[in-house]
Amino acid sequence: MIEILIELFRAIGRMFLNPLLYIAIFMSIFLGYVRVKRERKHFNIRILWGWSEFAGLIKEGVWLALIISVITLFFGLTQSVELLFFVTAFSILGLVLYQFHLLSPIILFALSMAAIILMNIQNWSFQLLGLTIQGVNVLEGTAVTCALVAGLLLMAESRLMKKYGLHYASPIIEKSKRGLHGVAFFTKKIWLLPIFFVIPGQAIDAYFPWWPQFSLNHQQFTLILFPAIIGFQQKTRRSLPLNVYPKLSRAIFILGELVLIGGLVGYFYPIVAVVTVFVGAFLRLIISYIYKVRERRDVYAVSARPNGVMIAAVLPNSPAEKMGLQAGEVIRKVNGMEVHNELELYKALQINAAHCKLEVLNHQNELRLTQHVVHSKDHYRIGLLVVE
C-alpha cells in the first residue's frame, strides 16, 4: 500500500511535466481575453469576467475526471505510452491551430491510434527526452482501452457541453444580407480533465489476480495523471444556443455510448474496437458539420423587431437575470409604456423609482409579466444588452 501511495504522488507529479497542461492554461486565459475584447467591441461592456474560462478550466470538469479515474483504475484500463504521447501532441496542435473541433476526445484518440498504426507498419521509432516512441500493434489491447476511454470522454464532453456551453455563449452583432442587425452566439471553450491512467512500467506489480483487466500483456505497471483536453466550438444564428446545445449534447452522448459498447465488444474481437474508434471520430465530425451548416443560414433568431426591444444578452447577477429575462425574448412594455428601442426602454424605466414592471414576449410568443426593484438612479444597471 505504501508503494502504491508513493506511486500516486509520482503520478500527480508527472502531470506537471506535461507541456499540454501549461499550453491549456495559457489558451484558457487567451480565450477570456478574446471574448471580453469582442464583447466590448459589440456592446461596450463585457458579459462574463475575463478570467471565467481559466477559472472553469479544471473546476467544471473535475467531478467527471474523478469518475473516469475511478473506472480506469478499478478495471485497470492500461494505456500505451505511445498513445498518450500522440494524444498530447495532437491536443497541442489543435490548441495552437485554434481549431477546437479537433479537440473532441474521439478525434484525438483516432488520430493518435492512426499514428501508432502507421509507425508499426513502417517500423518507425524515435526518441524524445529519453522516451522511446515506436509503433504498437493495437490489436493487442490498445484499441480496446482506447475505445473504452474515448467513449467515457465523449460522454463527459456531452455533459460539459450541456451544463456549461450556454454559460459561455457570447453574442456578436452581425449584419444580414438585407442590412438588418442580427445577433449570433459564439462559444469557444476548453476543459481540462486530470485523469489517472495505468501505463506499463516498473512501479506496481499486479497484486490482485483480477487487476488489471486490460494489461497490454505486461506484468508491471505505473500510474500517470494525464491532462485530457476537451474542446468545444459552436456558432449559432438561426437558433438560440439554449435550443441547439442540448440537442448537440444528446447526439454526442449517444455516440459516446455506442463507442463504449464497441470497446466492450472489442474485448472479444479487437478489430471491432479499431473500427469503432475510427468510425466514431468520423461520426463526431459529421455531427459538428451538420450543426455548423444548419446555423450558416442568413436567418437570425435574435434580431431587431418592430414590436418591441429584442434582448441580445443578460448580464449575470443583474436585475434582468433575477427577473428571468433571457436572450431572444422581446420586451413589449415597461411600466405600462410601449417601447421600441433602447432609448425608450431606459426612459420608461425611470417612471417608477421603486419597481420595474415588464411585459415580455417569450420564446413561445406568449406574453408574461415580471417585475423587480430598479431605482431610477440605477436604471442603467438593469443588465440588458439589446439589439436595434
Side-chain angles (χ1 to χ4, degrees), residues 166-226:
L166 183 61
H167 180 68
Y168 294 98
S170 179
I172 304 170
I173 296 178
E174 297 180 341
K175 268 193 176 182
S176 67
K177 292 179 180 179
R178 293 183 296 175
L180 301 176
H181 282 162
V183 173
F185 295 90
F186 185 60
T187 304
K188 199 156 191 172
K189 180 71 172 72
I190 56 171
W191 293 279
L192 189 150
L193 275 61
I195 299 174
F196 280 102
F197 285 129
V198 183
I199 60 175
Q202 298 180 354
I204 303 175
D205 292 310
Y207 291 110
F208 309 102
W210 54 268
W211 188 90
Q213 291 291 326
F214 306 88
S215 65
L216 305 187
N217 297 321
H218 288 264
Q219 299 299 319
Q220 289 185 310
F221 310 92
T222 187
L223 301 176
I224 185 172
L225 186 62
F226 184 78

Side-chain angles (χ1 to χ4, degrees), residues 179-330:
L180 301 176
H181 282 162
V183 173
F185 295 90
F186 185 60
T187 304
K188 199 156 191 172
K189 180 71 172 72
I190 56 171
W191 293 279
L192 189 150
L193 275 61
I195 299 174
F196 280 102
F197 285 129
V198 183
I199 60 175
Q202 298 180 354
I204 303 175
D205 292 310
Y207 291 110
F208 309 102
W210 54 268
W211 188 90
Q213 291 291 326
F214 306 88
S215 65
L216 305 187
N217 297 321
H218 288 264
Q219 299 299 319
Q220 289 185 310
F221 310 92
T222 187
L223 301 176
I224 185 172
L225 186 62
F226 184 78
I229 295 295
I230 295 177
F232 176 47
Q233 177 178 328
Q234 183 66 45
K235 190 174 186 178
T236 62
R237 286 190 183 95
R238 64 185 294 266
S239 306
L240 291 167
L242 62 88
N243 295 326
V244 174
Y245 292 176
K247 294 178 182 178
L248 178 57
S249 169
R250 178 171 175 77
I252 294 173
F253 190 84
I254 292 173
L255 178 61
E257 291 178 319
L258 294 175
V259 171
L260 197 60
I261 292 171
L264 293 173
V265 175
Y267 183 73
F268 304 99
Y269 306 99
I271 190 63
V272 174
V274 176
V275 174
T276 295
V277 171
F278 290 122
V279 172
F282 176 74
L283 292 176
R284 180 64 184 88
L285 288 172
I286 291 296
I287 290 172
S288 293
Y289 179 76
I290 290 173
Y291 278 87
K292 183 178 181 179
V293 170
R294 282 181 182 177
E295 298 300 323
R296 271 183 184 169
R297 293 175 55 188
D298 192 42
V299 177
Y300 291 86
V302 178
S303 59
R305 303 292 170 86
N307 61 338
V309 177
M310 171 65 76
I311 301 174
V314 177
L315 299 183
N317 304 315
S318 64
E321 184 183 62
K322 293 172 183 176
M323 283 188 281
L325 299 179
Q326 295 182 338
E329 292 186 323
V330 180

